[in-house]
Amino acid sequence: PQPAAPRLVNIDVEGFQRRVLEGLTPLLRAHRPVLTVERNNRPENAEWMAWEGYGAFDDGPASVAA
């Protein structure tokens, strides 16, 4: 039997997010799982996500009510 399609992918690789995203592109296109990834204020990560149709939610300190 085929393995189940991923529903969630967590990427925590300290600065290598873009490389991981590019390597996972076929899987992400095929299954469209939810992604958790630190963008680290790197425009290339946000650009890739937008290009592939992923939206972004910022849960950083500025988005948390005091």
Side-chain angles (χ1 to χ4, degrees):
Q2 292 287 332
R7 293 183 289 168
L8 172 70
V9 174
N10 179 46
I11 300 171
D12 184 6
V13 291
E14 301 301 326
F16 293 95
Q17 292 86 347
R18 180 65 183 254
R19 287 185 182 180
V20 172
L21 289 167
E22 289 174 351
L24 287 174
T25 296
L27 178 135
L28 299 175
R29 286 180 179 167
H31 302 292
R32 302 299 296 170
V34 171
L35 292 177
T36 60
V37 57
E38 288 183 85
R39 292 182 296 160
N40 294 334
N41 294 325
R42 293 178 183 243
E44 64 270 15
N45 296 338
E47 289 168 4
W48 182 95
M49 292 176 71
W51 179 259
E52 292 296 327
Y54 278 92
F57 172 76
D58 185 358
D59 69 345
S63 69
V64 177

Short mmCIF file of all heavy atoms in Angstrom, two decimals:
data_model
loop_
_atom_site.label_atom_id
_atom_site.label_comp_id
_atom_site.label_asym_id
_atom_site.label_seq_id
_atom_site.Cartn_x
_atom_site.Cartn_y
_atom_site.Cartn_z
N PRO A 1 0.82 -1.21 0.00
CA PRO A 1 0.00 0.00 0.00
C PRO A 1 0.86 1.26 0.00
O PRO A 1 1.98 1.25 0.49
CB PRO A 1 -0.82 -0.09 1.29
CG PRO A 1 -0.16 -1.13 2.12
CD PRO A 1 0.69 -1.99 1.22
N GLN A 2 0.30 2.32 -0.54
CA GLN A 2 0.98 3.62 -0.58
C GLN A 2 1.00 4.24 0.82
O GLN A 2 0.01 4.13 1.55
CB GLN A 2 0.26 4.56 -1.53
CG GLN A 2 0.36 4.17 -2.98
CD GLN A 2 1.76 4.44 -3.53
OE1 GLN A 2 2.46 5.32 -3.06
NE2 GLN A 2 2.15 3.67 -4.51
N PRO A 3 2.10 4.93 1.18
CA PRO A 3 2.09 5.66 2.46
C PRO A 3 1.09 6.81 2.38
O PRO A 3 0.79 7.33 1.30
CB PRO A 3 3.52 6.17 2.60
CG PRO A 3 4.15 6.00 1.28
CD PRO A 3 3.35 5.03 0.48
N ALA A 4 0.59 7.20 3.52
CA ALA A 4 -0.36 8.32 3.58
C ALA A 4 0.33 9.62 3.16
O ALA A 4 1.51 9.83 3.41
CB ALA A 4 -0.90 8.46 4.99
N ALA A 5 -0.42 10.48 2.50
CA ALA A 5 0.10 11.78 2.10
C ALA A 5 0.30 12.64 3.34
O ALA A 5 -0.51 12.60 4.27
CB ALA A 5 -0.88 12.47 1.16
N PRO A 6 1.39 13.41 3.37
CA PRO A 6 1.61 14.27 4.54
C PRO A 6 0.55 15.37 4.61
O PRO A 6 0.16 15.93 3.59
CB PRO A 6 3.01 14.85 4.30
CG PRO A 6 3.18 14.79 2.82
CD PRO A 6 2.41 13.59 2.36
N ARG A 7 0.10 15.67 5.82
CA ARG A 7 -0.84 16.76 6.01
C ARG A 7 -0.17 17.98 6.61
O ARG A 7 -0.67 19.08 6.52
CB ARG A 7 -2.00 16.31 6.91
CG ARG A 7 -2.86 15.26 6.21
CD ARG A 7 -4.04 14.88 7.04
NE ARG A 7 -3.56 14.09 8.18
CZ ARG A 7 -4.29 13.77 9.22
NH1 ARG A 7 -5.52 14.17 9.32
NH2 ARG A 7 -3.78 13.05 10.20
N LEU A 8 0.99 17.77 7.24
CA LEU A 8 1.74 18.85 7.89
C LEU A 8 3.22 18.61 7.67
O LEU A 8 3.70 17.49 7.85
CB LEU A 8 1.44 18.89 9.39
CG LEU A 8 2.30 19.84 10.22
CD1 LEU A 8 1.95 21.29 9.90
CD2 LEU A 8 2.13 19.57 11.69
N VAL A 9 3.95 19.66 7.28
CA VAL A 9 5.40 19.59 7.15
C VAL A 9 5.98 20.73 7.98
O VAL A 9 5.65 21.89 7.76
CB VAL A 9 5.86 19.72 5.67
CG1 VAL A 9 7.37 19.78 5.58
CG2 VAL A 9 5.32 18.56 4.85
N ASN A 10 6.83 20.38 8.94
CA ASN A 10 7.50 21.37 9.78
C ASN A 10 8.95 21.47 9.32
O ASN A 10 9.66 20.47 9.27
CB ASN A 10 7.45 20.95 11.25
CG ASN A 10 8.16 21.94 12.14
OD1 ASN A 10 7.97 23.15 12.01
ND2 ASN A 10 8.97 21.44 13.04
N ILE A 11 9.38 22.68 8.97
CA ILE A 11 10.75 22.90 8.50
C ILE A 11 11.46 23.80 9.50
O ILE A 11 11.10 24.94 9.68
CB ILE A 11 10.75 23.54 7.09
CG1 ILE A 11 10.03 22.61 6.09
CG2 ILE A 11 12.18 23.84 6.63
CD1 ILE A 11 9.79 23.24 4.75
N ASP A 12 12.49 23.25 10.15
CA ASP A 12 13.26 23.99 11.15
C ASP A 12 14.73 23.71 10.89
O ASP A 12 15.31 22.76 11.43
CB ASP A 12 12.85 23.54 12.55
CG ASP A 12 13.53 24.34 13.65
OD1 ASP A 12 14.24 25.32 13.33
OD2 ASP A 12 13.36 23.98 14.82
N VAL A 13 15.33 24.50 10.00
CA VAL A 13 16.68 24.18 9.53
C VAL A 13 17.65 25.36 9.60
O VAL A 13 18.68 25.34 8.93
CB VAL A 13 16.63 23.60 8.09
CG1 VAL A 13 16.01 22.23 8.08
CG2 VAL A 13 15.92 24.53 7.15
N GLU A 14 17.33 26.37 10.36
CA GLU A 14 18.25 27.48 10.63
C GLU A 14 18.94 28.05 9.40
O GLU A 14 20.14 27.87 9.18
CB GLU A 14 19.30 27.06 11.67
CG GLU A 14 18.74 26.63 12.99
CD GLU A 14 17.91 27.69 13.68
OE1 GLU A 14 18.23 28.89 13.56
OE2 GLU A 14 16.92 27.33 14.34
N GLY A 15 18.17 28.70 8.55
CA GLY A 15 18.75 29.41 7.42
C GLY A 15 18.75 28.67 6.10
O GLY A 15 19.11 29.24 5.07
N PHE A 16 18.36 27.41 6.09
CA PHE A 16 18.36 26.63 4.86
C PHE A 16 16.94 26.33 4.38
O PHE A 16 16.72 25.39 3.62
CB PHE A 16 19.14 25.32 5.05
CG PHE A 16 20.60 25.55 5.27
CD1 PHE A 16 21.11 25.61 6.56
CD2 PHE A 16 21.46 25.74 4.20
CE1 PHE A 16 22.46 25.85 6.77
CE2 PHE A 16 22.81 25.96 4.40
CZ PHE A 16 23.31 26.02 5.70
N GLN A 17 15.98 27.15 4.79
CA GLN A 17 14.59 26.91 4.45
C GLN A 17 14.37 26.83 2.94
O GLN A 17 13.67 25.95 2.46
CB GLN A 17 13.68 28.01 5.04
CG GLN A 17 13.59 27.98 6.53
CD GLN A 17 14.69 28.76 7.23
OE1 GLN A 17 15.69 29.15 6.63
NE2 GLN A 17 14.53 28.98 8.51
N ARG A 18 14.95 27.76 2.20
CA ARG A 18 14.72 27.80 0.76
C ARG A 18 15.19 26.51 0.10
O ARG A 18 14.51 25.95 -0.75
CB ARG A 18 15.42 29.02 0.15
CG ARG A 18 15.25 29.17 -1.35
CD ARG A 18 13.80 29.43 -1.73
NE ARG A 18 13.61 29.52 -3.16
CZ ARG A 18 13.38 30.64 -3.82
NH1 ARG A 18 13.32 31.78 -3.18
NH2 ARG A 18 13.21 30.62 -5.11
N ARG A 19 16.34 26.01 0.49
CA ARG A 19 16.84 24.76 -0.09
C ARG A 19 15.90 23.60 0.21
O ARG A 19 15.64 22.76 -0.66
CB ARG A 19 18.24 24.44 0.43
CG ARG A 19 19.30 25.33 -0.12
CD ARG A 19 20.65 24.88 0.35
NE ARG A 19 21.67 25.76 -0.16
CZ ARG A 19 22.95 25.61 0.10
NH1 ARG A 19 23.37 24.60 0.84
NH2 ARG A 19 23.83 26.46 -0.39
N VAL A 20 15.41 23.54 1.43
CA VAL A 20 14.48 22.47 1.80
C VAL A 20 13.18 22.60 1.02
O VAL A 20 12.65 21.62 0.49
CB VAL A 20 14.24 22.46 3.32
CG1 VAL A 20 13.14 21.48 3.69
CG2 VAL A 20 15.52 22.12 4.07
N LEU A 21 12.65 23.82 0.94
CA LEU A 21 11.41 24.05 0.19
C LEU A 21 11.57 23.63 -1.27
O LEU A 21 10.70 22.97 -1.83
CB LEU A 21 11.00 25.52 0.28
CG LEU A 21 10.49 25.98 1.64
CD1 LEU A 21 10.42 27.51 1.68
CD2 LEU A 21 9.15 25.36 1.97
N GLU A 22 12.69 23.99 -1.86
CA GLU A 22 12.92 23.62 -3.27
C GLU A 22 13.02 22.11 -3.42
O GLU A 22 12.49 21.54 -4.38
CB GLU A 22 14.17 24.31 -3.79
CG GLU A 22 13.97 25.80 -3.99
CD GLU A 22 15.23 26.54 -4.37
OE1 GLU A 22 16.33 25.97 -4.32
OE2 GLU A 22 15.10 27.74 -4.71
N GLY A 23 13.66 21.44 -2.48
CA GLY A 23 13.77 19.98 -2.55
C GLY A 23 12.43 19.28 -2.34
O GLY A 23 12.19 18.21 -2.90
N LEU A 24 11.58 19.89 -1.55
CA LEU A 24 10.26 19.31 -1.28
C LEU A 24 9.19 19.71 -2.28
O LEU A 24 8.06 19.25 -2.19
CB LEU A 24 9.79 19.74 0.12
CG LEU A 24 10.47 19.09 1.31
CD1 LEU A 24 9.98 19.73 2.61
CD2 LEU A 24 10.21 17.60 1.33
N THR A 25 9.53 20.56 -3.24
CA THR A 25 8.53 21.10 -4.15
C THR A 25 7.63 20.03 -4.79
O THR A 25 6.41 20.19 -4.77
CB THR A 25 9.19 21.99 -5.22
OG1 THR A 25 9.79 23.12 -4.56
CG2 THR A 25 8.18 22.51 -6.23
N PRO A 26 8.16 18.93 -5.32
CA PRO A 26 7.25 17.94 -5.91
C PRO A 26 6.24 17.38 -4.90
O PRO A 26 5.06 17.25 -5.20
CB PRO A 26 8.19 16.84 -6.42
CG PRO A 26 9.50 17.53 -6.62
CD PRO A 26 9.57 18.58 -5.54
N LEU A 27 6.70 17.08 -3.70
CA LEU A 27 5.80 16.57 -2.67
C LEU A 27 4.77 17.62 -2.28
O LEU A 27 3.58 17.32 -2.16
CB LEU A 27 6.61 16.16 -1.43
CG LEU A 27 5.77 15.64 -0.28
CD1 LEU A 27 6.38 14.40 0.30
CD2 LEU A 27 5.62 16.70 0.79
N LEU A 28 5.21 18.86 -2.12
CA LEU A 28 4.30 19.93 -1.71
C LEU A 28 3.27 20.21 -2.79
O LEU A 28 2.09 20.44 -2.49
CB LEU A 28 5.09 21.19 -1.38
CG LEU A 28 6.09 21.06 -0.22
CD1 LEU A 28 6.90 22.34 -0.07
CD2 LEU A 28 5.38 20.71 1.07
N ARG A 29 3.67 20.16 -4.04
CA ARG A 29 2.72 20.38 -5.14
C ARG A 29 1.71 19.25 -5.22
O ARG A 29 0.54 19.48 -5.51
CB ARG A 29 3.46 20.51 -6.46
CG ARG A 29 4.17 21.83 -6.61
CD ARG A 29 4.88 21.91 -7.94
NE ARG A 29 5.55 23.20 -8.09
CZ ARG A 29 6.44 23.46 -9.03
NH1 ARG A 29 6.76 22.53 -9.91
NH2 ARG A 29 6.99 24.66 -9.10
N ALA A 30 2.16 18.04 -4.98
CA ALA A 30 1.27 16.88 -5.11
C ALA A 30 0.26 16.79 -3.97
O ALA A 30 -0.88 16.39 -4.18
CB ALA A 30 2.10 15.59 -5.16
N HIS A 31 0.66 17.17 -2.76
CA HIS A 31 -0.19 16.92 -1.59
C HIS A 31 -0.68 18.16 -0.86
O HIS A 31 -1.59 18.07 -0.05
CB HIS A 31 0.55 16.00 -0.62
CG HIS A 31 0.94 14.70 -1.22
ND1 HIS A 31 0.02 13.75 -1.59
CD2 HIS A 31 2.15 14.21 -1.58
CE1 HIS A 31 0.63 12.71 -2.11
NE2 HIS A 31 1.93 12.97 -2.12
N ARG A 32 -0.05 19.32 -1.10
CA ARG A 32 -0.46 20.60 -0.49
C ARG A 32 -0.63 20.52 1.03
O ARG A 32 -1.63 20.95 1.58
CB ARG A 32 -1.74 21.11 -1.13
CG ARG A 32 -1.67 21.32 -2.62
CD ARG A 32 -0.65 22.32 -3.06
NE ARG A 32 -1.00 23.65 -2.55
CZ ARG A 32 -0.21 24.69 -2.62
NH1 ARG A 32 0.98 24.58 -3.16
NH2 ARG A 32 -0.57 25.84 -2.16
N PRO A 33 0.38 20.01 1.75
CA PRO A 33 0.25 19.97 3.20
C PRO A 33 0.37 21.37 3.80
O PRO A 33 0.86 22.30 3.16
CB PRO A 33 1.44 19.10 3.64
CG PRO A 33 2.47 19.37 2.59
CD PRO A 33 1.67 19.51 1.31
N VAL A 34 -0.05 21.50 5.03
CA VAL A 34 0.19 22.72 5.79
C VAL A 34 1.69 22.78 6.07
O VAL A 34 2.31 21.77 6.39
CB VAL A 34 -0.60 22.70 7.12
CG1 VAL A 34 -0.21 23.85 8.02
CG2 VAL A 34 -2.10 22.68 6.84
N LEU A 35 2.26 23.97 5.95
CA LEU A 35 3.69 24.17 6.23
C LEU A 35 3.86 25.01 7.48
O LEU A 35 3.15 25.99 7.67
CB LEU A 35 4.38 24.92 5.09
CG LEU A 35 4.54 24.24 3.75
CD1 LEU A 35 5.19 25.20 2.77
CD2 LEU A 35 5.35 22.98 3.88
N THR A 36 4.82 24.63 8.30
CA THR A 36 5.31 25.53 9.33
C THR A 36 6.79 25.75 9.02
O THR A 36 7.55 24.80 8.88
CB THR A 36 5.14 24.98 10.76
OG1 THR A 36 5.85 23.75 10.89
CG2 THR A 36 3.67 24.74 11.08
N VAL A 37 7.14 27.02 8.84
CA VAL A 37 8.51 27.36 8.46
C VAL A 37 8.81 28.77 8.93
O VAL A 37 7.98 29.66 8.83
CB VAL A 37 8.70 27.22 6.93
CG1 VAL A 37 7.74 28.07 6.16
CG2 VAL A 37 10.12 27.52 6.52
N GLU A 38 10.00 28.94 9.47
CA GLU A 38 10.44 30.28 9.84
C GLU A 38 10.94 30.97 8.58
O GLU A 38 11.79 30.45 7.87
CB GLU A 38 11.58 30.21 10.86
CG GLU A 38 11.14 29.77 12.23
CD GLU A 38 12.31 29.82 13.18
OE1 GLU A 38 12.57 30.90 13.74
OE2 GLU A 38 12.96 28.77 13.34
N ARG A 39 10.39 32.14 8.31
CA ARG A 39 10.82 32.89 7.14
C ARG A 39 12.08 33.68 7.43
O ARG A 39 12.81 34.06 6.54
CB ARG A 39 9.71 33.80 6.65
CG ARG A 39 8.55 32.98 6.09
CD ARG A 39 7.46 33.84 5.56
NE ARG A 39 6.87 34.62 6.64
CZ ARG A 39 6.17 35.72 6.46
NH1 ARG A 39 5.98 36.19 5.26
NH2 ARG A 39 5.64 36.35 7.49
N ASN A 40 12.37 33.95 8.70
CA ASN A 40 13.60 34.64 9.12
C ASN A 40 13.85 35.93 8.37
O ASN A 40 14.99 36.28 8.08
CB ASN A 40 14.82 33.72 8.96
CG ASN A 40 14.77 32.54 9.89
OD1 ASN A 40 14.14 32.60 10.94
ND2 ASN A 40 15.41 31.47 9.50
N ASN A 41 12.79 36.63 8.04
CA ASN A 41 12.90 37.90 7.31
C ASN A 41 13.72 37.77 6.03
O ASN A 41 14.41 38.68 5.62
CB ASN A 41 13.49 38.99 8.21
CG ASN A 41 12.55 39.33 9.33
OD1 ASN A 41 11.34 39.32 9.16
ND2 ASN A 41 13.09 39.61 10.49
N ARG A 42 13.67 36.61 5.43
CA ARG A 42 14.36 36.38 4.16
C ARG A 42 13.33 36.46 3.05
O ARG A 42 12.46 35.59 2.94
CB ARG A 42 15.05 35.02 4.15
CG ARG A 42 16.19 34.94 5.13
CD ARG A 42 16.80 33.55 5.10
NE ARG A 42 17.85 33.46 6.08
CZ ARG A 42 19.12 33.23 5.78
NH1 ARG A 42 19.48 33.07 4.53
NH2 ARG A 42 20.01 33.16 6.72
N PRO A 43 13.42 37.46 2.20
CA PRO A 43 12.42 37.63 1.14
C PRO A 43 12.31 36.42 0.23
O PRO A 43 11.23 36.12 -0.27
CB PRO A 43 12.91 38.84 0.37
CG PRO A 43 13.95 39.49 1.19
CD PRO A 43 14.42 38.50 2.19
N GLU A 44 13.41 35.70 0.02
CA GLU A 44 13.35 34.55 -0.88
C GLU A 44 12.42 33.46 -0.37
O GLU A 44 11.79 32.75 -1.16
CB GLU A 44 14.74 33.99 -1.19
CG GLU A 44 15.48 33.42 -0.01
CD GLU A 44 16.35 34.42 0.75
OE1 GLU A 44 16.18 35.63 0.57
OE2 GLU A 44 17.19 33.97 1.52
N ASN A 45 12.31 33.31 0.95
CA ASN A 45 11.40 32.31 1.51
C ASN A 45 9.95 32.72 1.26
O ASN A 45 9.13 31.91 0.83
CB ASN A 45 11.65 32.11 3.00
CG ASN A 45 13.02 31.54 3.28
OD1 ASN A 45 13.64 30.93 2.41
ND2 ASN A 45 13.50 31.74 4.48
N ALA A 46 9.63 33.98 1.52
CA ALA A 46 8.28 34.48 1.29
C ALA A 46 7.95 34.44 -0.20
O ALA A 46 6.81 34.11 -0.57
CB ALA A 46 8.15 35.89 1.85
N GLU A 47 8.91 34.75 -1.04
CA GLU A 47 8.68 34.72 -2.49
C GLU A 47 8.36 33.31 -2.96
O GLU A 47 7.45 33.10 -3.76
CB GLU A 47 9.91 35.25 -3.23
CG GLU A 47 10.10 36.75 -3.08
CD GLU A 47 11.46 37.22 -3.57
OE1 GLU A 47 12.24 36.38 -4.11
OE2 GLU A 47 11.74 38.41 -3.41
N TRP A 48 9.12 32.33 -2.48
CA TRP A 48 8.86 30.95 -2.86
C TRP A 48 7.46 30.55 -2.43
O TRP A 48 6.70 29.95 -3.21
CB TRP A 48 9.89 29.99 -2.25
CG TRP A 48 9.66 28.58 -2.68
CD1 TRP A 48 10.27 27.95 -3.71
CD2 TRP A 48 8.72 27.65 -2.13
NE1 TRP A 48 9.77 26.67 -3.84
CE2 TRP A 48 8.82 26.46 -2.88
CE3 TRP A 48 7.82 27.70 -1.08
CZ2 TRP A 48 8.04 25.34 -2.60
CZ3 TRP A 48 7.03 26.59 -0.82
CH2 TRP A 48 7.16 25.42 -1.57
N MET A 49 7.11 30.86 -1.19
CA MET A 49 5.80 30.48 -0.66
C MET A 49 4.68 31.11 -1.49
O MET A 49 3.70 30.44 -1.83
CB MET A 49 5.69 30.86 0.81
CG MET A 49 6.61 30.01 1.68
SD MET A 49 6.60 30.51 3.41
CE MET A 49 4.98 29.95 3.88
N ALA A 50 4.81 32.37 -1.84
CA ALA A 50 3.79 33.04 -2.65
C ALA A 50 3.73 32.42 -4.04
O ALA A 50 2.63 32.18 -4.56
CB ALA A 50 4.10 34.54 -2.72
N TRP A 51 4.87 32.15 -4.64
CA TRP A 51 4.92 31.57 -5.98
C TRP A 51 4.21 30.21 -6.00
O TRP A 51 3.53 29.87 -6.98
CB TRP A 51 6.38 31.42 -6.41
CG TRP A 51 6.54 30.80 -7.77
CD1 TRP A 51 6.87 29.51 -8.04
CD2 TRP A 51 6.38 31.45 -9.03
NE1 TRP A 51 6.92 29.31 -9.38
CE2 TRP A 51 6.62 30.49 -10.04
CE3 TRP A 51 6.06 32.74 -9.41
CZ2 TRP A 51 6.54 30.78 -11.38
CZ3 TRP A 51 5.98 33.03 -10.76
CH2 TRP A 51 6.22 32.05 -11.73
N GLU A 52 4.36 29.44 -4.95
CA GLU A 52 3.75 28.11 -4.87
C GLU A 52 2.33 28.14 -4.32
O GLU A 52 1.70 27.10 -4.14
CB GLU A 52 4.62 27.17 -4.03
CG GLU A 52 5.94 26.83 -4.69
CD GLU A 52 5.78 26.05 -6.00
OE1 GLU A 52 4.82 25.25 -6.12
OE2 GLU A 52 6.62 26.24 -6.89
N GLY A 53 1.82 29.33 -4.03
CA GLY A 53 0.43 29.45 -3.60
C GLY A 53 0.21 29.26 -2.11
O GLY A 53 -0.92 29.05 -1.68
N TYR A 54 1.26 29.35 -1.33
CA TYR A 54 1.13 29.24 0.12
C TYR A 54 0.98 30.63 0.73
O TYR A 54 1.72 31.55 0.36
CB TYR A 54 2.34 28.54 0.75
CG TYR A 54 2.27 27.04 0.66
CD1 TYR A 54 2.83 26.37 -0.41
CD2 TYR A 54 1.63 26.30 1.65
CE1 TYR A 54 2.76 24.98 -0.51
CE2 TYR A 54 1.55 24.92 1.56
CZ TYR A 54 2.12 24.27 0.49
OH TYR A 54 2.04 22.90 0.41
N GLY A 55 0.06 30.78 1.64
CA GLY A 55 -0.09 32.03 2.37
C GLY A 55 0.79 32.01 3.60
O GLY A 55 1.38 30.99 3.94
N ALA A 56 0.88 33.14 4.26
CA ALA A 56 1.72 33.23 5.45
C ALA A 56 0.91 33.77 6.63
O ALA A 56 0.05 34.61 6.46
CB ALA A 56 2.91 34.16 5.19
N PHE A 57 1.22 33.25 7.78
CA PHE A 57 0.66 33.73 9.03
C PHE A 57 1.84 34.00 9.94
O PHE A 57 2.65 33.11 10.18
CB PHE A 57 -0.27 32.68 9.65
CG PHE A 57 -0.72 33.06 11.03
CD1 PHE A 57 -1.70 34.01 11.21
CD2 PHE A 57 -0.15 32.47 12.14
CE1 PHE A 57 -2.11 34.37 12.48
CE2 PHE A 57 -0.55 32.82 13.42
CZ PHE A 57 -1.54 33.78 13.59
N ASP A 58 1.94 35.21 10.42
CA ASP A 58 3.05 35.60 11.29
C ASP A 58 2.62 35.42 12.73
O ASP A 58 1.73 36.11 13.20
CB ASP A 58 3.44 37.04 11.01
CG ASP A 58 4.67 37.45 11.79
OD1 ASP A 58 5.21 36.65 12.58
OD2 ASP A 58 5.12 38.60 11.61
N ASP A 59 3.27 34.50 13.42
CA ASP A 59 2.94 34.30 14.84
C ASP A 59 4.07 34.80 15.73
O ASP A 59 4.23 34.37 16.84
CB ASP A 59 2.62 32.85 15.13
CG ASP A 59 3.82 31.94 15.02
OD1 ASP A 59 4.84 32.35 14.45
OD2 ASP A 59 3.75 30.81 15.52
N GLY A 60 4.84 35.75 15.22
CA GLY A 60 5.95 36.32 15.99
C GLY A 60 5.46 37.20 17.12
O GLY A 60 4.26 37.42 17.29
N PRO A 61 6.37 37.72 17.92
CA PRO A 61 6.03 38.52 19.10
C PRO A 61 5.12 39.71 18.77
O PRO A 61 4.27 40.07 19.55
CB PRO A 61 7.38 39.00 19.62
CG PRO A 61 8.37 38.07 19.05
CD PRO A 61 7.80 37.56 17.75
N ALA A 62 5.30 40.31 17.60
CA ALA A 62 4.50 41.49 17.26
C ALA A 62 3.05 41.13 17.02
O ALA A 62 2.17 41.99 17.09
CB ALA A 62 5.08 42.16 16.02
N SER A 63 2.74 39.86 16.75
CA SER A 63 1.37 39.47 16.47
C SER A 63 0.63 38.98 17.70
O SER A 63 -0.55 38.69 17.64
CB SER A 63 1.35 38.38 15.39
OG SER A 63 1.89 37.19 15.90
N VAL A 64 1.33 38.91 18.83
CA VAL A 64 0.71 38.41 20.07
C VAL A 64 0.25 39.60 20.90
O VAL A 64 1.02 40.52 21.16
CB VAL A 64 1.71 37.55 20.87
CG1 VAL A 64 1.09 37.09 22.18
CG2 VAL A 64 2.16 36.36 20.03
N ALA A 65 -1.00 39.57 21.28
CA ALA A 65 -1.54 40.66 22.11
C ALA A 65 -0.92 40.60 23.50
O ALA A 65 -0.75 39.54 24.08
CB ALA A 65 -3.05 40.56 22.19
N ALA A 66 -0.60 41.78 24.03
CA ALA A 66 0.01 41.83 25.38
C ALA A 66 -1.04 41.71 26.46
O ALA A 66 -2.17 41.99 26.30
CB ALA A 66 0.76 43.14 25.54
#
